[in-house]
Amino acid sequence: MRVRFAPAPTGFLHVGGTRTALFNWLFARHHGATFVLRIEDTDRDRSREEWVDGIQATLRWLGLDWDEGPYRQGDRIPQYLDAADRLIASGDAYESWLTEAELDAEREAAKAHGGVPRFYERSTAVGRGDAGDERTRSLWFRTPTTGTAEFDDVVRGRVTVPWDTIADFMIVRSSGQPVFYLANAVDDAEMNITHVIRGEDLLDSTHRVLALRAALGHPGAPTYAHLPLLVGHDRAKLSKRHGAVAVEDFRDAGYLPEALVNYLSLLGFPAPAAGSEVRPLAEIIADFDLARVNHSAAFFDHDKLDWMNGEYLRALPVPELVERAGDWCRAAAARGDGATAAVDPSSPEFAALLAVAQKRLVTLAEVPAFLAHHFCDESSFAIADESWDVLAATERVDEVLDTVIAHLETCEWTVEAISLQPVIVALGLKPRAVMGALYAAVEGRHSGLPLFDAIHALGRERTLGRLRAARARLG
RNA sequence: GCCCCCAUCGUCCAGCGGCCUAGGACACCGCCCUUUCAAGGCGGCGACGGGGGUUCGAAUCCCCUUGGGGGUGCCA
C-alpha cells in the first residue's frame, strides 16, 4: 500500500495540513505502507522554494518521516502535458482560445439558465480569433452532461453527484502550466498511490480527478478517505486569519512536537476507549483505523493543546527537560528574544530551578519568565508594581522582613534550613498571610517558583540584598 | 443560485435499537492538599437542533426541516 501527503508550497505548513500529514503517516506506519511526500507546485507564481524547505523541516520536527520523495510536480511537467495531449486526441478535452472575459460571460449565461458552464461550443466557434487578438490557449476537460459521478469514500460512504452539475474545468493554463486536477490524477496513477487521505475540502474535486484518470486509461482507482476539516472559532476552515496556525509558530511558542502530534491525533478520531488521551505514539499508531475517522469538523482547541503540552512537559525526566528547555532558550535568544538572552541554560541553577518549575510549565516559552529573577543583574532587579502592592498591604510586613533577614543571615544554606514557616509562626502569623510579600521581595512577583528553592539558588548575599532593599523601601 | 458533506455537553470524543436517570477528556466552578502559583485528589455545572415516521422500545434506522461547513477559480 502507498499513501502520499501532497502539500502546495504556497505557505507554511499549518495545523490542518499537518493533521492530514499525520493521518497519512499513521496509516502508513500502522499498515507498513509507503509514505510518499509530493510537492504540488504546479502554480509557479504562488509556490516558493522557502516553503518547500519549510514544510520538510516542519515535518521532520514533528517526526513525520517520509519513505519516498519529495517528488516535485514542477519536475514532471512533460508527463502532465503529454497526458493533456492524449486527452485532446481522444476528444475528452479541448483547447480554448477564449479570453477570461468571454469565459466569465459563459459562466454568467450558464448561471442564468440554472446550469453549469460548458465552453466547448463557444471555443470551437471562436477558434483562435482574428489576427491581432491577444488570445491565449488553455486546455479544458469536457465533463459528461448526463449520468452521475460517484465513488466510495472510506469515511463518507458513497458520494454521488449528477454530472450536469459539474462544469468543464481547466487542465492546462494559458501559461502552459498544468492544473492541479491533471497533475494529481497523473501522479496518483503513476506513483501507484493506493489510498488518498486528505481534507474534506477536496471531496468534490475527486469526481473530476477520477474522470481524468479514467479518460487517461489508468485502470482502477485509489481508495479515498476524506478527513473532516479543522475549523476555527467561527467554524470556518482553519486558515491564517485564525491566528497562530503555522506549525513552526507552535515550535517557537514552546510546544513539544510529541504533544502536538498527540493532540492532533485526537481531532477527528475517537479517543481511546479506556485509559488516557495522553499516550505513546506507538499506541496511537497501533490504534489507527481509517474506518473509524469521524465525519464532522473539529475545532482546534488551544486550551486543550496547552493542557496536553503541560502533561508532556511534566512527564519529561528532568535532565531531558533541562536539555530541551535549554535548546528552546538558545533558539529564542538567537531569534533576538532579549528576555531569554540573560538566561544561562548551562548553569547548574538553570537545572535546579527548572526542576521546581516543571509542574508549573505549560510551554517552554514560560521558562524565561520563571527564571528571570535569578538570571538578572541585581541592579536591574525590580518588583512588579502589583506585587509591590501586595507586599505593602501585608500585615506587619516590616516586622516579617526583619525577622526573615535575621534568619537568613545565620541559617545553614540548605533548602530545608531556609524554610521560613517556623520564623513566621513564631511571630504569631500564618504563613499564607505573608508569603506573597516574601515572594515579591525575592522573585519580583508575588507568585512564582517555590520560594525556598529560589532563595537557595539565589545565594545568601543576593537574597539578603533584595530583602533589605524591600525593607528600606518600606521606610 | 446550484451541487456535495456534516449535525451528542462551550470544545474534542464515547454511544452504532433496550446496559443512557447519555459516559470520558479540556475548559469553567467549589472543596481538599499546600510556601504563593501550579501540579495532584475529590465533587459540581453542562448536550442528543426541530418535526414526522419505523419499532414493544430510539441519541442510535428512514424522511422532511433547520442550522453549519465545503465546492462551484488560469488556488490546491
Side-chain angles (χ1 to χ4, degrees):
Chain A
M1 292 185 286
R2 293 167 61 82
V3 294
R4 79 326 191 256
F5 175 54
T10 53
F12 45 69
L13 187 59
H14 66 94
V15 291
T18 302
R19 204 275 306 261
T20 298
L22 172 63
F23 277 35
N24 272 284
W25 186 86
L26 290 173
F27 178 90
R29 296 300 171 255
H30 177 94
H31 295 285
T34 302
F35 181 41
V36 176
L37 176 61
R38 184 171 80 215
I39 305 296
E40 305 219 325
D41 53 352
T42 54
D43 185 343
R44 274 191 301 189
D45 295 338
R46 298 193 198 190
S47 297
R48 278 162 60 179
E49 211 52 37
E50 63 178 287
W51 297 127
V52 175
D53 296 337
I55 287 168
Q56 293 179 72
T58 303
L59 287 174
R60 281 193 209 97
W61 177 69
L62 290 165
L64 304 182
D65 56 321
W66 53 96
D67 307 306
E68 270 184 36
Y71 295 115
R72 301 285 297 263
Q73 291 191 326
D75 295 337
R76 297 168 47 75
I77 304 297
Q79 279 97 314
Y80 311 137
L81 296 182
D82 176 67
D85 287 343
R86 278 151 52 210
L87 291 171
I88 294 287
S90 64
D92 291 297
Y94 55 91
E95 67 172 30
S96 172
W97 293 78
L98 297 178
T99 62
E100 294 206 43
E102 287 167 339
L103 290 168
D104 284 341
E106 288 298 301
R107 292 191 179 102
E108 286 301 312
K111 197 170 187 176
H113 297 155
V116 112
R118 313 279 177 185
F119 309 105
Y120 181 70
E121 304 287 330
R122 191 77 202 287
S123 296
T124 305
V126 170
R128 310 183 72 148
D130 301 320
D133 278 1
E134 296 283 326
R135 293 178 180 279
T136 50
R137 190 183 86 132
S138 55
L139 267 31
W140 295 72
F141 186 78
R142 204 173 176 184
T143 57
T145 53
T146 59
T148 56
E150 41 193 66
F151 69 95
D152 291 305
D153 188 283
V154 183
V155 345
R156 317 263 150 202
R158 194 164 194 75
V159 181
T160 306
V161 180
W163 268 118
D164 64 9
T165 64
I166 301 179
D168 286 358
F169 58 93
M170 180 182 280
I171 55 176
V172 175
R173 301 179 172 89
S174 56
S175 65
Q177 295 292 306
V179 173
F180 153 76
Y181 298 111
L182 216 212
N184 200 268
V186 169
D187 282 350
D188 282 345
E190 294 189 356
M191 295 177 186
N192 294 309
I193 299 302
T194 61
H195 297 258
V196 175
I197 304 167
R198 42 150 43 166
E200 197 198 339
D201 50 344
L202 266 355
L203 185 65
D204 288 313
S205 77
T206 307
H207 300 106
R208 282 168 281 216
V209 171
L210 250 18
L212 282 173
R213 184 184 178 108
L216 253 12
H218 292 294
T223 297
Y224 283 88
H226 286 92
L227 272 22
L229 259 20
L230 255 35
V231 300
H233 355 273
D234 54 1
R235 305 303 298 181
K237 181 165 67 165
L238 209 56
S239 65
K240 312 85 214 160
R241 67 196 168 76
H242 289 102
V245 292
V247 173
E248 49 198 73
D249 289 346
F250 283 91
R251 192 226 302 132
D252 294 350
Y255 291 88
L256 262 23
E258 58 268 43
L260 191 54
V261 162
N262 194 151
Y263 175 63
L264 248 18
S265 77
L266 256 23
L267 297 182
F269 197 78
S276 174
E277 291 182 342
V278 182
R279 53 185 184 156
L281 233 203
E283 204 174 294
I284 296 173
I285 292 171
D287 195 39
F288 188 76
D289 179 5
L290 264 192
R292 289 205 292 144
V293 170
N294 281 149
H295 295 183
S296 46
F299 173 78
F300 185 82
D301 187 353
H302 280 84
D303 285 341
K304 189 155 184 176
L305 203 217
D306 281 349
W307 162 77
M308 178 78 70
N309 204 59
E311 289 284 309
Y312 272 87
L313 247 17
R314 283 184 291 268
L316 247 30
V318 173
E320 194 181 338
L321 174 68
V322 169
E323 185 185 331
R324 299 180 70 166
D327 287 345
W328 188 90
C329 288
R330 288 185 197 93
R335 284 196 301 274
D337 181 339
T340 303
V343 175
D344 177 9
S346 59
S347 64
E349 291 88 352
F350 182 80
L353 292 173
L354 213 46
V356 292
Q358 185 169 30
K359 283 201 289 285
R360 296 161 174 79
L361 293 174
V362 170
T363 67
L364 293 175
E366 294 170 339
V367 167
F370 273 115
L371 273 50
H373 74 272
H374 184 92
F375 291 99
C376 69
D377 287 333
E378 287 311 297
S379 60
S380 62
F381 173 77
I383 298 173
D385 290 344
E386 66 272 22
S387 295
W388 175 260
D389 292 343
V390 168
L391 185 154
T394 298
E395 185 189 5
R396 295 166 64 191
V397 64
D398 44 2
E399 208 181 328
V400 170
L401 287 173
D402 287 339
T403 308
V404 167
I405 289 169
H407 169 70
L408 293 177
E409 280 171 340
T410 58
C411 74
E412 189 186 343
W413 208 251
T414 62
V415 173
E416 296 69 33
I418 286 168
S419 178
L420 301 176
Q421 287 113 315
V423 295
I424 292 166
V425 171
L427 285 175
L429 291 166
K430 289 181 179 173
R432 289 187 67 85
V434 303
M435 226 28 110
L438 297 171
Y439 273 82
V442 177
E443 298 191 33
R445 47 186 207 173
H446 58 284
S447 94
L449 255 26
L451 190 59
F452 313 151
D453 294 277
I455 288 175
H456 181 258
L458 207 50
R460 199 189 302 269
E461 289 316 308
R462 292 177 76 192
T463 304
L464 287 171
R466 292 181 187 186
L467 288 167
R468 287 175 186 137
R471 180 66 183 84
R473 183 174 165 187
L474 272 174

